Amino acid sequence: MADLADVERMVDDWERNAAETSQKYQAMQAEVERISITESVASGAVSVTVGHNGLPTDIKMTQAVLKMGPDEIAANVLRAMQKAQSKYPERLAEITAETVGDDATTRHLVATAVDNFPAPPEEDEPPAAGQPQERRLYDREEESPAAPASKAPPAPAPKPTPRRKSGPGDEDGEDFSDQSFLRRD
């Protein structure tokens, strides 16, 4: 049976470990709150910075966007944001390794970030400003007008729900009376 000195030593060790772990997690939290990731696309014409929560904190554009159409600018902003957000799990893993180390909690934090943040966008850049963009009317071959008409006929449209019959004093079909429909007559 353990004597009182052993129990006191175990409690002291537990308190010391808990305090050290708490300090490590506080340091990790401070570092995570300082995360700021900036990525650019379209040869640097569009840059987006995301903060510790993955939300944009800054968007910058150069004069090169004047040669782009509105859709191309919007696509480049989203692409730069996705590119920046995709770096978040990697940065979080670096911070957890530097501050807390590898444990079940940090592995869960990083795995959650991987699940919640987007993958990096495809590497092929959209056409540079001034070059025409390839436009597609149909994303899939089976939707194109040249596809064979061997599809099943479309499902019939659902029948409209019959409207409630108006009662006396209810000219427009709406019932905004103060009477309960749960009353007993």
Side-chain angles (χ1 to χ4, degrees), residues 150-162:
S150 62
K151 293 183 183 177
K159 293 181 181 179
T161 307

Side-chain angles (χ1 to χ4, degrees), residues 27-100:
M28 180 188 73
Q29 179 183 2
E31 287 296 314
V32 167
E33 288 176 356
R34 285 195 280 271
I35 289 177
S36 179
I37 303 168
T38 303
E39 286 295 330
S40 299
V41 296
S43 302
V46 177
S47 298
V48 175
T49 301
V50 296
H52 70 280
N53 54 6
L55 296 176
T57 58
D58 193 24
I59 299 174
K60 293 184 179 178
M61 298 177 199
T62 67
Q63 293 292 325
V65 298
L66 296 175
K67 298 175 184 172
M68 298 179 192
D71 289 343
E72 188 178 358
I73 294 170
N76 282 322
V77 168
L78 291 177
R79 188 174 169 81
M81 183 170 60
Q82 180 182 1
K83 194 172 174 183
Q85 289 172 335
S86 71
K87 304 278 175 128
Y88 182 86
E90 180 183 338
R91 181 66 187 121
L92 181 62
E94 291 170 1
I95 290 171
T96 58
E98 293 168 1
T99 55
V100 178

Side-chain angles (χ1 to χ4, degrees), residues 1-18:
M1 184 176 261
D3 65 342
L4 186 57
D6 290 339
V7 171
E8 286 178 353
R9 190 172 31 258
M10 286 175 30
V11 169
D12 289 342
D13 289 345
W14 181 83
E15 285 178 343
R16 186 174 40 260
N17 288 340

Side-chain angles (χ1 to χ4, degrees), residues 118-139:
E122 295 176 12
E123 287 302 316
D124 60 330
E125 289 268 334
Q131 295 178 357
Q133 274 189 307
E134 177 185 334
R135 297 188 183 253
R136 293 184 190 169
L137 294 177
Y138 302 97
D139 287 335

Side-chain angles (χ1 to χ4, degrees), residues 6 19 22 25 47 57 62 68 74 79-80 97 101 114-115 117 137 147 153 159-163 171 174 183-184:
D6 290 339
S22 175
Y25 276 95
S47 298
T57 58
T62 67
M68 298 179 192
R79 188 174 169 81
V114 168
D115 290 343
F117 285 92
L137 294 177
K159 293 181 181 179
T161 307
R163 290 190 50 100
E171 298 83 29
E174 299 294 329
R183 73 174 191 274
R184 292 185 182 188

